[in-house]
Amino acid sequence: MNDVKITDLYSLEHTLAADYLRGFTYPWEALKGISDLIVSLGNSLDPDEYDNPSENVWVHKTAKIFPSAYLGAPCIIGANTEVRHCAFIRGSALVGENCVVGNSVELKNVIIFDNVQTPHYNYVGDSILGYKSHMGAGSITSNVKSDKTNVVIKSADEQLETGIKKIGAMLGDCVEVGCNSVLNPGTVIGKNSNIYPTSCVRGVVPANSIYKTGGVIAAKR
């Protein structure tokens, strides 16, 4: 299947998880081990650069954590990242450098590359967000099917059985998700693609595409 491999979606120099991700073909294969990865990485971080405010929580000294934010273990917050008021990091969250985790945003079992913005009322679970990707206000990843069966990755002409019940969205580098969109379980959005506001997205959106109202996909010009 095209456009869904880790090498298709991500510039790995923009995450501490680079070596880990190189061990997989497809990004959703990496979801199960995120918690253990964070603990391993955290214990290797330079204490002159990272604070360790609680067990298995590491925060770069240049990061800004607002007073009402919750940091659940394990998590790593990178340099110059903001975690704003009432953000709820449930745990298993590797957040890169220069990111924004906004007000009332919830993160769970995620790899967030550098320069990613989830600034307003987003839920991101069991997902990987590539370099410079952005989720508009109110956009969310849905990570469990309503019938609770395993997630299948679907393109226009092919299907991939994952054997996994919880998969959110895999956003490639520089993806823009419009406000109040829902990314259904197993959504994969290729690099440099845009999702129109209020979209209900499922399946694979190719790189350099625009996902329009009604699910129409057009190539960027």
Side-chain angles (χ1 to χ4, degrees), residues 188-205:
V188 181
I189 303 176
K191 285 184 176 181
N192 304 308
S193 287
N194 292 58
I195 307 299
Y196 269 23
T198 70
S199 294
C200 184
V201 187
R202 65 181 66 251
V204 178
V205 178

Side-chain angles (χ1 to χ4, degrees), residues 1-10 12 17 20-34 37 109-111 113 126-130 153 160 162 164 166-172 186-190 204:
M1 184 181 286
N2 295 325
D3 281 339
V4 300
K5 295 180 180 179
I6 288 170
T7 51
D8 299 323
L9 294 165
Y10 305 114
L12 294 182
Y20 173 72
L21 290 171
R22 290 189 184 102
F24 303 96
T25 300
Y26 300 111
W28 52 86
E29 295 172 332
L31 294 175
K32 185 176 180 180
I34 291 175
L37 167 69
N109 201 46
V110 293
I111 296 174
F113 278 55
D126 300 289
S127 299
I128 300 177
L129 275 53
I153 310 297
L160 272 178
T162 68
I164 303 172
K166 289 188 176 182
I167 301 177
M170 308 292 135
L171 271 56
T187 294
V188 181
I189 303 176
V204 178

Side-chain angles (χ1 to χ4, degrees), residues 28-143:
W28 52 86
E29 295 172 332
L31 294 175
K32 185 176 180 180
I34 291 175
S35 182
D36 290 341
L37 167 69
I38 292 169
V39 173
S40 176
L41 286 172
N43 286 320
S44 69
L45 294 173
D46 186 346
D48 290 333
E49 295 185 15
Y50 284 83
D51 293 323
N52 185 202
S54 59
E55 185 177 6
N56 292 333
V57 173
W58 294 271
V59 179
H60 197 277
K61 292 180 185 295
T62 62
K64 183 175 182 180
I65 311 299
F66 284 61
S68 59
Y70 175 83
L71 304 183
C75 74
I76 294 173
I77 307 298
N80 301 306
T81 285
E82 283 193 4
V83 181
R84 294 176 178 167
H85 283 298
C86 298
F88 178 32
I89 296 181
R90 282 170 55 186
S92 300
L94 174 55
V95 183
E97 300 180 355
N98 304 304
C99 294
V100 174
V101 181
N103 58 301
S104 304
V105 168
E106 181 177 349
L107 302 182
K108 172 251 179 187
N109 201 46
V110 293
I111 296 174
I112 307 291
F113 278 55
D114 299 340
N115 294 81
V116 170
Q117 294 200 346
T118 57
H120 312 285
Y121 306 105
N122 307 110
Y123 171 70
V124 186
D126 300 289
S127 299
I128 300 177
L129 275 53
Y131 176 61
K132 284 190 175 180
S133 58
H134 171 257
M135 295 191 67
S139 61
I140 64 168
T141 65
S142 174
N143 59 341

